[in-house]
Amino acid sequence: IPLLRRALAMSKRPLLLFASPWTAPAWMRSNGDVRGKGTLKGKAGDKYHKTWANYFIKFLDEYAKHNVTFWAVTAQNEPLAGLFTPPQAPTIAFTAAQQRDFIAQDLGPALARSPHRTQLLMLDDQRIHLPHWAKVVLGNATAARYVAGLAVHWYLDAIVPPGCSLEATHKLFPDHFLLYTEACTGFFMFR
């Protein structure tokens, strides 16, 4: 919070902050650990999914107490990485259908009921998953009304041309923006 306040004070224009979760608490996860391969227990609409959605609201509430607001949150950081992650990495695996249902039944309604004007971003993973992921989530009218945009990572961009992923997705869903949310150099150790 002190670093965020400092950055906000130094900026010549307003900073738009977004947050992206890595994992839920161990008791909510199918493997009983915050690390490794695992999903949220149960299915969308149940007590685990509703509680996880409420964690987002509590997070926003606590930062708001310190005058730090978030422009957006993502439903999950790298949801498909949860299927392939090293055993020590904290993550939750979601398929596109699971993310759609979580957004439509739990996270979207929780954000809409909250006092926060925080926008919701979906995917937050490699663009290789587009446009399929967008078709599954945004193809559902209930989920689509809660989603402002798609968060994309760049690590596998060389595999899929932008026309097949970004442009195709934009043509299908022009009312939802595309935003690169994660990138770094040195990702491939052998390069």
Side-chain angles (χ1 to χ4, degrees):
I1 291 171
L3 290 175
L4 287 173
R5 281 188 176 155
R6 208 165 143 201
L8 290 164
M10 292 172 61
S11 179
K12 292 182 176 148
R13 58 188 171 132
L15 294 180
L16 300 177
L17 303 176
F18 82 93
S20 186
W22 279 65
T23 188
W27 67 268
M28 290 181 170
R29 289 175 36 101
S30 61
N31 67 348
D33 194 335
V34 295
R35 299 163 299 172
K37 296 177 179 125
T39 61
L40 281 177
K41 289 179 181 175
K43 60 183 182 175
D46 71 9
K47 67 180 182 179
Y48 296 104
H49 287 70
K50 295 228 177 287
T51 301
W52 182 228
N54 287 330
Y55 265 65
F56 282 74
I57 306 310
K58 294 290 186 188
F59 168 85
L60 296 170
D61 290 345
E62 291 303 314
Y63 274 89
K65 288 177 185 176
H66 298 279
N67 292 321
V68 176
T69 58
F70 286 82
W71 164 73
V73 294
T74 71
Q76 175 60 41
N77 180 63
E78 296 188 355
L80 284 179
L83 301 173
F84 312 106
T85 187
Q88 297 305 311
T91 187
I92 300 174
F94 273 104
T95 65
Q98 289 168 326
Q99 189 172 84
R100 173 200 63 212
D101 296 345
F102 175 58
I103 288 170
Q105 296 179 43
D106 306 298
L107 184 54
L111 280 169
R113 283 190 309 270
S114 82
H116 307 287
R117 297 296 51 115
T118 305
Q119 296 188 63
L120 178 58
L121 307 181
M122 56 164 276
L123 183 60
D124 207 15
D125 210 331
Q126 313 308 317
R127 81 173 188 213
I128 195 170
H129 305 302
L130 295 175
H132 167 73
W133 201 280
K135 287 178 183 177
V136 172
V137 177
L138 299 177
N140 177 284
T142 303
R145 80 169 185 249
Y146 294 119
V147 174
L150 292 86
V152 185
H153 298 184
W154 81 336
Y155 306 109
L156 302 177
D157 278 6
I159 296 172
V160 176
C164 298
S165 54
L166 301 176
E167 187 176 345
T169 303
H170 177 67
K171 284 180 179 177
L172 289 168
F173 305 101
D175 295 333
H176 292 83
F177 62 83
L178 295 152
L179 177 69
Y180 271 89
T181 55
E182 184 179 318
C184 72
T185 59
F187 171 68
F188 291 111
M189 304 289 243
F190 53 85
R191 292 170 91 184

